[in-house]
Amino acid sequence: MSASLGDGVGATDALLLGGNLQLRLGSYKLPPPTADDAVVRVEWTGVTEGDLRMLQAAVLDSLPATASGHELVGIVESCPGGQLSVGTRVVVNSGKAWFGSPARPAVDDTRARIQRERPIHPRGFARYVIVAVASLMACPSTIEPAIAVLAQPLATVMHAVGRITARPGRALLLGYGPVGALAHLEVVRRFPDTVVTVSEPCIARGCLAEAHGAIRARESLDDERWPLVIDAGGFPGSLTYAISWTAHGGTVLALAPRPERDTIVPAELVERSLTIVGSSGFDEEFSQALAILHADPDRYRPLITDAVLLEEAPARLLEFSKVPAAGRILIRPWRE
Amino acid sequence: MAGVSDFAAWRLRRVPVYEPGAASSGAAADKLSSNEAPLGPAPAVRNAISAAAGSVNRYPEQLRATQLLAEHTGVPVNRLVLANGSDELCYLIASVFLGVNRVAVLGQPCYQIDATVSLLAGAALRPVPLLNGAHDLAAMADAARDAAVIWIPSPHNPTGAAVDPGEFEAFLEQVSDSCLVVLDEAYRSFTDPDSSPDSLTLLERYDNLLIQRTLSKDWALAGLRIGYAIASEPVAGALRRARAPFSVNSLALVALEAAVHEEAWRQMSVAQIRRERSLLEAELDRLGIPYYPSQANFVTARLDSTTAVPALQATGLVVRPGENLGVPGWVRISIGWAPQMAILREVLQRLAL
């Protein structure tokens, strides 16, 4: 168990990534919280695709500029500045601030941390985290904490889908990982009559898509064009494919940030009057996402398909890095 | 008035009181005591139920729902009987096929409703002890020589064991055709492939077989109370004749009509439950906690309910003590949503220390 955090300073059990890229459970020394920080006891943390990618040495060089374990819900254990009451359930909006440090590091900095510090993986995959108060949002007292973990990815998706200007009627969704699934639900929440076709090679994810009423593409997509194409695939060239499958005047939602280059021909955008919408900058949508999750948890419950205890995580995450989970994986750091 | 209540007390003297699974104090998903579907019905089913709320001033009409169910199951309409949950079917079966001086054979422990309805009908119970949590079909066939009804839930509640397909067929060969064999398949969807009898095929050969199914479990409609029987035409006709008019409400019928088109949702829900069941059983193995290997959406483990139930309750999880299920010293754990099952494993680890 964690060392005492009586005054908000100490060590915590955490999932650590060693230099050999082997995950293990160990102890991590937390930085002392400042007056702008809170110590949060972590109830649930979402495992993102980026987190899983970190486990695959082959793609380490393409590590995205995301904080590992940044989708988390927990309880305020202490708050030196007094901005939040002890015992408040909070969710992290990592788009606003950073864990225990004022600025978000760039990709190169993140890589440097991996090479310099071992372990490096303490963020939300730990029983306690130090988080800037500015990035914390208090949850409604009756929200299910495991559902609240979806606030940030849902806000991200809402930010993009909210920029669709015309009722699409038909949409093509590339990838049905957790973000793709949230995009599907958000599109049909806003435009209930939209017929969504999903391209997803993973059988379990395809089944999840069909369960939510999507049509699973089984044939070549080359003969069709869609007014709305959502790139939640995150595979090399996925944005290029998304653009090629978009109908004249259509919209591409880019939800899968990757550092690799995709080929985009400006003339194609111009001549086909395409709009490309990104998903970053979701502060406004964050509280809305939380409210939606609170109001209708059953709608989103099936998207969380796996949950593992912190102790189980080293073995289970390794499995998930090889065979993807159907939906979002949650880690349960806290022990009662 | 004393005479009236005295009579009721005498009549019910052997009828056990049914104690439903306790409700959760937290989120609905935390309730692991009633073998409910943690993900609920498909969004399209929820929408259909909401849309139908405006017509509840009308009496329910079963025809369309029954036809759709017939298409879904591949069974002719005249062999189907819709009921207000499969528990109503139990009452109907007992009222039609049991009575004073008639015998009902069941496992021990049994699904409690089977015993209750048999006793209410005035029948004598002939319990046959389970073998390692499973029905002892050979002993049940022996016990059924003069019996009117044999109750066989498969997978069984409260142990989760399913009858072996080959043994069940041999059992049917031994049972007199004057004895109704009630195969309750409430949990059939959760079984491993090839571990359930091919009941519809058997129904073609055995007129005394009745299959009981529910939409409460894999179809996630427990709150609406709807189930059905598949039986030979005369048996189905008898049950329909005994059934109260309009016993299945209109929202349940609408839900059924929508649900038969949501097979992908049902399969996804079942797959999640089966995966979580495997994880729970692996954890019980690791911790050395005995349990009945389950083919259902629950696992019954040997845990002291006086310590396990409060420990789980402290985390918001509610499970079913075995004391009122006929398995004292055991706890029945419904398979829930992945996050709840992770918390459950954490509590089990603490209890095993």
Side-chain angles (χ1 to χ4, degrees):
Chain A
M1 294 293 287
S2 305
S4 167
L5 282 161
D7 59 355
V9 183
T12 181
D13 288 347
L15 200 57
L16 308 173
L17 186 66
N20 56 359
L21 294 174
Q22 296 290 307
L23 276 179
R24 66 180 178 85
L25 189 64
S27 182
Y28 176 77
K29 190 164 185 267
L30 289 165
T34 70
D36 295 325
D37 292 333
V39 181
V40 175
R41 167 166 40 106
V42 184
E43 295 177 290
W44 294 104
T45 306
V47 180
T48 66
E49 299 290 309
D51 295 328
L52 288 173
R53 249 185 257 172
M54 193 179 283
L55 299 175
Q56 297 169 303
V59 295
L60 187 61
D61 283 345
S62 60
L63 193 67
T66 55
S68 51
H70 64 281
E71 293 176 5
L72 73 88
V73 170
I75 303 287
V76 173
E77 188 82 0
S78 71
C79 185
Q83 303 94 324
L84 288 164
S85 304
V86 171
T88 303
R89 176 166 284 131
V90 290
V91 58
V92 169
N93 175 354
S94 74
K96 290 186 81 166
W98 188 247
F99 292 80
S101 113
R104 186 181 173 120
V107 176
D108 289 345
D109 187 27
T110 307
R111 284 189 191 140
R113 280 161 175 257
I114 287 171
Q115 288 154 9
R116 191 174 61 245
E117 300 175 10
R118 292 182 176 82
I120 60 91
H121 214 285
R123 310 289 179 206
F125 304 144
R127 302 210 203 283
Y128 294 94
V129 289
I130 311 290
V131 191
V133 171
S135 69
L136 293 175
M137 177 171 285
C139 292
S141 61
T142 51
I143 197 167
E144 292 179 50
I147 287 285
V149 171
L150 295 175
Q152 176 158 325
L154 179 58
T156 308
V157 161
M158 288 173 69
H159 182 79
V161 175
R163 276 145 188 82
I164 300 172
T165 52
R167 185 173 293 275
R170 294 184 313 123
L172 173 65
L173 175 53
L174 304 182
Y176 211 81
V179 171
L182 284 167
H184 176 202
L185 296 195
E186 184 59 13
V187 166
V188 297
R189 188 181 74 85
R190 291 189 186 229
F191 308 108
D193 57 348
T194 309
V195 177
V196 177
T197 300
V198 169
S199 176
E200 169 57 62
C202 168
I203 291 171
R205 290 179 172 184
C207 290
L208 192 61
E210 287 177 322
H212 282 94
I215 298 166
R216 196 162 167 211
R218 297 180 197 278
E219 305 289 329
S220 164
L221 299 170
D222 288 343
D223 295 336
E224 272 196 79
R225 296 291 178 272
W226 282 263
L228 172 65
V229 179
I230 303 167
D231 174 19
F235 56 87
S238 60
L239 185 59
T240 307
Y241 282 112
I243 289 169
S244 72
W245 285 321
T246 308
H248 184 95
T251 302
V252 177
L253 298 192
L255 300 180
R258 288 177 305 103
E260 298 96 340
R261 294 176 191 279
D262 269 348
T263 303
I264 297 175
V265 181
E268 196 177 2
L269 301 182
V270 173
E271 288 165 12
R272 291 169 54 206
S273 289
L274 302 184
T275 303
I276 299 180
V277 176
S279 57
S280 198
F282 46 80
D283 279 354
E284 268 181 37
E285 288 85 1
F286 200 90
S287 58
Q288 295 169 32
L290 208 51
I292 286 170
L293 294 168
H294 186 211
D296 195 1
D298 288 337
R299 182 175 168 78
Y300 299 92
R301 197 182 308 283
L303 303 193
I304 295 171
T305 56
D306 296 272
V308 299
L309 303 173
L310 196 64
E311 294 79 359
E312 299 169 333
R316 293 288 306 281
L317 290 189
L318 200 59
E319 291 169 19
F320 288 127
S321 71
K322 294 170 184 165
V323 181
R328 180 59 97 220
I329 305 160
L330 299 192
I331 288 185
R332 169 78 174 174
W334 185 246
R335 292 183 76 92
E336 296 295 335
Chain B
M1 286 304 289
V4 173
S5 51
D6 284 353
F7 176 76
W10 174 81
R11 183 80 198 279
L12 300 173
R13 68 194 182 285
R14 291 188 297 146
V15 175
V17 175
Y18 181 77
E19 291 182 32
S24 162
S25 55
D30 294 343
K31 187 183 173 201
L32 305 179
S33 56
S34 295
N35 304 341
E36 295 156 338
L39 300 184
V45 177
R46 293 204 292 163
N47 292 341
I49 295 166
S50 300
S55 58
V56 294
N57 54 318
R58 305 293 179 192
Y59 283 107
E61 170 52 62
Q62 282 197 1
L63 183 61
R64 200 158 71 114
T66 311
Q67 285 172 337
L68 280 168
L69 186 62
E71 285 170 26
H72 185 79
T73 55
V75 170
V77 167
N78 58 9
R79 300 185 75 171
L80 283 173
V81 184
L82 287 185
N84 185 264
S86 66
D87 284 345
E88 187 194 19
L89 284 170
C90 295
Y91 281 86
L92 290 174
I93 291 163
S95 67
V96 172
F97 296 97
L98 289 174
V100 177
N101 297 326
R102 290 177 75 86
V103 172
V105 173
L106 30 62
Q108 186 182 43
C110 65
Y111 176 52
Q112 190 187 321
I113 302 299
D114 295 340
T116 296
V117 298
S118 302
L119 291 168
L120 278 173
L125 297 186
R126 191 170 292 159
V128 176
L130 303 181
L131 270 182
N132 300 320
H135 287 106
D136 183 348
L137 291 178
M140 289 182 98
D142 281 345
R145 286 208 182 94
D146 57 345
V149 169
I150 310 176
W151 302 100
I152 302 182
S154 179
H156 190 40
N157 183 1
T159 62
V163 295
D164 176 80
E167 287 179 18
F168 186 67
E169 197 168 339
F171 162 80
L172 285 174
E173 278 296 317
Q174 294 175 61
V175 173
S176 158
D177 57 10
S178 63
C179 176
L180 185 71
V181 177
V182 181
L183 180 67
D184 181 351
E185 296 193 321
Y187 302 100
R188 180 189 171 90
S189 294
F190 305 104
T191 59
D192 295 335
D194 303 323
S195 64
S196 282
D198 183 356
S199 50
L200 294 182
T201 301
L202 292 172
L203 199 63
E204 298 301 319
R205 288 169 46 199
Y206 300 97
D207 280 349
N208 61 329
L209 175 63
L210 182 148
I211 301 163
Q212 203 175 297
R213 291 182 181 169
T214 179
L215 277 73
S216 297
K217 307 302 178 185
D218 51 330
W219 296 52
L221 296 174
L224 290 175
R225 312 307 303 128
I226 182 164
Y228 61 98
I230 310 171
S232 66
E233 203 176 322
V235 169
L239 294 177
R240 271 196 298 271
R241 190 166 169 184
R243 183 185 58 190
F246 313 117
S247 72
V248 183
N249 71 74
S250 55
L251 296 185
L253 293 168
V254 162
L256 184 157
E257 290 170 22
V260 294
H261 300 299
E262 300 298 328
E263 186 59 17
W265 180 274
R266 194 185 68 81
Q267 287 184 16
M268 177 272 294
S269 303
V270 167
Q272 289 202 19
I273 287 167
R274 285 169 49 84
R275 193 170 58 248
E276 288 300 326
R277 183 181 74 196
S278 296
L279 287 170
L280 174 58
E281 291 188 339
E283 186 67 14
L284 291 168
D285 279 333
R286 197 179 69 82
L287 297 171
I289 299 172
Y291 63 94
Y292 293 113
S294 176
Q295 295 288 319
N297 66 344
F298 58 83
V299 175
T300 301
R302 190 185 291 165
L303 289 164
D304 179 358
S305 62
T306 60
T307 52
V309 171
L312 287 163
Q313 223 152 20
T315 68
L317 297 178
V318 179
V319 295
R320 192 77 164 265
E323 279 69 18
N324 57 19
L325 298 172
V327 279
W330 296 67
V331 168
R332 194 188 68 187
I333 303 163
S334 304
I335 304 300
W337 183 42
Q340 270 62 50
M341 298 308 287
I343 294 174
L344 179 92
R345 292 195 298 276
E346 191 242 307
V347 175
L348 290 177
Q349 288 167 13
R350 268 194 283 131
L351 289 170
L353 284 177

